[in-house]
Amino acid sequence: MAELVYRPVIGAARTFFKALDLKIDTQGSEHIPKTGGAVLVSNHISYLDFIFSGLAALPQKRLVRFMAKESVFRHKVSGPLMRGMKHIPVDREQGEDAYAHALESLRSGEIVGVFPEATISESFTLKSFKSGAARLAQGAGVPLIPMALWGTQRLWTKGRPRSFKRNHIPVTIRVGEPVEAPTDQYAGAITRRLRERVQELLEAAQRAYPVRPKDASDTWWVPAHLGGTAPTPAEVRERG
């Protein structure tokens, strides 16, 4: 079926990012399979993460169908676009429908994108992973592809104003080797292994990131354990 919405949206995103002069450094796209189903799993630090995760699959000529909260599909602007790109709505109250939809997509050879932290990490560190991605991979008999993003939080994240100026922000993307999801293993064990791999990729992306904060007022996007002023995970939990 022709992609009448997805490809134009990709073109628009690329044009927009070029206008912002973003420096996007992607490594590991070859780990995304050229054919067949897979679950693409990434950390979540920005409202734009699904766009950058999708861009990482383009060298393999793949389009990713992301699982996203159902309210996005009700929005008058984003809703038609999300449906046109065949993304998958997730109703937190009726998650079994989204699970069945994603499973069907995987079995038909699609790549499904999942953010297993469920929400943006305001500390910019990895939160705990939900086991849904592993269960999907097990159910469809497909691999999990781990990914880490870094720098996207500087563009637009929770609790911060958007920054869409031409400020040459680097974005670093690292994609890892597939993680298998055999059916004779517990989904929890696979999820722990997957999270460890995403953590390794996140640390690699942070090491490769080419800039540091300009001054003390620019340390907000760096995690506390790396010397920044982002809230710690404990502080995020305390403020609810």
Side-chain angles (χ1 to χ4, degrees):
M1 187 179 296
E3 296 289 344
L4 300 179
V5 177
Y6 211 136
R7 296 193 188 282
V9 168
I10 290 171
R14 282 175 153 171
T15 300
F16 180 56
F17 292 159
K18 186 174 182 180
L20 295 181
D21 195 31
L22 299 187
K23 308 299 184 184
I24 303 175
D25 169 25
T26 304
Q27 292 184 15
S29 289
E30 68 275 8
H31 296 307
I32 297 173
K34 289 185 176 181
T35 61
V39 182
L40 187 64
V41 177
S42 175
N43 65 318
H44 199 10
I45 53 176
S46 166
Y47 291 113
L48 303 177
D49 287 340
F50 73 99
I51 300 178
F52 290 100
S53 297
L55 289 178
L58 293 184
Q60 298 294 78
K61 297 181 170 54
R62 300 304 303 272
L63 299 177
V64 183
R65 315 301 178 180
F66 286 95
M67 301 185 76
K69 60 184 179 180
E70 193 265 344
S71 60
V72 178
F73 291 77
R74 293 198 305 267
H75 191 275
K76 64 181 180 180
V77 176
S78 63
L81 292 175
M82 295 293 283
R83 288 189 291 272
M85 289 185 281
K86 303 172 194 166
H87 295 314
I88 301 169
V90 179
D91 184 339
R92 299 262 173 91
E93 301 299 320
Q94 297 179 331
E96 63 275 7
D97 290 342
Y99 182 86
H101 186 168
L103 201 57
E104 181 181 358
S105 295
L106 290 167
R107 287 171 174 165
S108 67
E110 298 276 13
I111 293 180
V112 172
V114 176
F115 297 104
E117 296 168 279
T119 58
I120 289 174
S121 170
E122 297 176 69
S123 66
F124 310 131
T125 61
L126 275 192
K127 299 164 65 175
S128 62
F129 278 20
K130 298 185 181 301
S131 63
R135 291 188 290 108
L136 280 171
Q138 286 180 309
V142 301
L144 295 148
I145 310 296
M147 171 188 290
L149 305 166
W150 191 246
T152 61
Q153 76 273 33
R154 298 179 65 196
L155 292 165
W156 190 13
T157 193
K158 192 172 183 180
R160 300 286 304 190
R162 288 172 290 187
S163 179
F164 291 160
K165 299 177 182 178
R166 187 177 169 83
N167 46 14
H168 325 293
I169 288 176
V171 172
T172 303
I173 306 171
R174 293 292 181 266
V175 185
E177 295 180 357
V179 174
E180 297 302 321
T183 56
D184 62 348
Q185 293 184 14
Y186 288 114
I190 297 170
T191 300
R192 286 190 292 274
R193 190 160 66 248
L194 178 66
R195 187 183 181 281
E196 288 171 2
R197 186 64 184 123
V198 173
Q199 179 66 42
E200 291 170 0
L201 292 167
L202 177 58
E203 291 173 4
Q206 291 168 336
R207 288 193 299 270
Y209 200 66
V211 301
R212 297 292 179 266
K214 297 188 293 287
D215 51 43
S217 67
D218 190 41
T219 59
W220 65 268
W221 55 271
V222 179
H225 75 277
L226 293 180
T229 54
T232 65
E235 289 170 339
V236 174
R237 286 194 298 271
E238 285 175 6
R239 70 189 189 195

